[in-house]
Amino acid sequence: MKGVWAIVALDMKRYLQEPMRLFPGLVQPLLYLFVLGTGLGASMGRMPAAGDYRGFIFPGVIALSLLFTATFAGISIVFDRQIGFFKAVLVAPVARESIAAGKIIGGAVQALIQGGLLLLVVPFMHLNTDFLGILLLIPAMVLASLTFSAMGVALAARFTSATVFPVVINTVILPMYFMSGAMYPLQPAPGWMQKLAHLDPVAYGVDLLRGALLGREHMFFNPWLSVSVLTVLLVLLAWVSVGIFKRGEESELTGPSKFPWRR
């Protein structure tokens, strides 16, 4: 556990040394909430428990903040690999499982800080939620952040280019986000979109957040199904990351030094 917390402490020290990262990270979610939400909400009717369209997409906006912050936190692995620091981490007397766990937890903590700031606008959303809903929201955010962070770490573990990684991660997570039902209810969506949502891990995270804030009637999936899918995916992605780290930096077959996407 000391190795895990050492990795977490390192990533958090880097994160806190650049406090200005907090504010740009709020711009995109707030634009979705108050600009897109207000514009589209003008043509939408009121929704039970959500109040208006902005209230309905608010859990999706929180998911947006968690998703982008957690997945992009994995870029620290790519930067460390470029300067040779990641080799030093791998040869240190720390289990590879601890390295993967520390990177995943570190990314999740950064996402929770970023997403937690959005909770400051809850009093202005006129949501028909209560203190219990806020309490249920916290574990949902933790599970979603850990899963999204594991996605970022598993992808970053195979990259050597800090310029290519953001492009690829955007290509992966943007379709997942827009297919998740974050900006629209999945119940009246076409059947093919509903089927894709069942394959989209982000959809399960959004659904959990929405159920916590707005109530079970706004959920598309069974909550226990969402928890199970996110938990299984978290374990699977962590296992993949550990496997890549165990192969080291110089594996001729699967190591990142032979990965074709280079700068």
Side-chain angles (χ1 to χ4, degrees):
M1 290 302 295
K2 288 183 179 180
V4 173
W5 297 123
I7 298 294
V8 174
L10 174 63
D11 283 351
M12 292 307 301
K13 183 177 181 180
R14 290 171 170 174
Y15 181 71
L16 295 175
Q17 282 178 341
E18 300 176 354
M20 288 302 296
R21 290 170 57 183
L22 290 171
F23 302 102
L26 289 174
V27 172
Q28 187 179 24
L30 292 177
L31 282 174
Y32 272 70
L33 185 61
F34 291 107
V35 178
L36 182 64
T38 301
L40 293 179
S43 60
M44 306 279 286
R46 292 183 63 82
M47 300 180 179
D52 57 15
Y53 180 68
R54 286 186 307 173
F56 177 79
I57 67 171
F58 183 57
V61 171
I62 295 176
L64 175 71
S65 179
L66 299 179
L67 178 63
F68 275 80
T69 306
T71 52
F72 274 92
I75 201 171
S76 64
I77 296 175
V78 186
F79 282 130
D80 287 347
R81 178 171 289 125
Q82 286 189 324
I83 65 175
F85 180 73
F86 197 64
K87 275 189 179 181
V89 174
L90 292 179
V91 301
V94 178
R96 302 297 167 87
E97 293 84 356
S98 297
I99 297 174
K103 287 295 182 181
I104 291 171
I105 294 173
V109 172
Q110 294 175 42
L112 288 170
I113 293 173
Q114 198 77 53
L117 292 175
L118 290 174
L119 297 182
L120 297 176
V121 305
V122 168
F124 306 100
M125 298 307 300
H126 307 293
L127 298 173
N128 294 329
T129 188
D130 52 18
F131 184 67
L132 178 61
I134 301 297
L135 287 181
L136 291 174
L137 181 67
I138 295 174
M141 290 176 64
V142 170
L143 180 57
S145 296
L146 287 170
T147 306
F148 299 156
S149 181
M151 290 170 52
V153 171
L155 283 171
R158 299 306 310 274
F159 280 84
T160 58
S161 171
T163 56
V164 176
F165 176 73
V167 176
V168 174
I169 204 77
N170 268 316
T171 304
V172 172
I173 65 176
L174 276 177
M176 294 173 67
Y177 180 75
F178 286 115
M179 295 302 299
S180 69
M183 309 305 293
Y184 53 87
L186 285 171
Q187 287 83 351
W192 64 270
M193 293 183 69
Q194 294 184 1
K195 291 178 182 178
L196 286 177
H198 280 84
L199 303 175
D200 184 358
V202 180
Y204 295 97
V206 170
D207 209 53
L208 273 182
L209 298 175
R210 182 167 288 145
L213 270 181
L214 306 183
R216 180 68 178 86
E217 65 273 15
H218 285 276
M219 298 187 72
F220 181 71
F221 303 106
N222 182 290
W224 291 112
L225 174 64
S226 297
V227 171
S228 300
V229 169
L230 291 176
T231 302
V232 170
L233 184 62
L234 169 60
V235 173
L236 178 62
L237 290 170
W239 175 77
V240 169
S241 301
V242 171
I244 296 174
F245 292 158
K246 282 186 175 180
R247 295 180 188 120
E249 290 287 85
E250 303 300 335
S251 169
E252 293 185 359
L253 295 177
T254 53
S257 62
K258 297 298 181 181
F259 199 73
W261 289 340
R262 281 178 166 273
R263 182 172 60 182

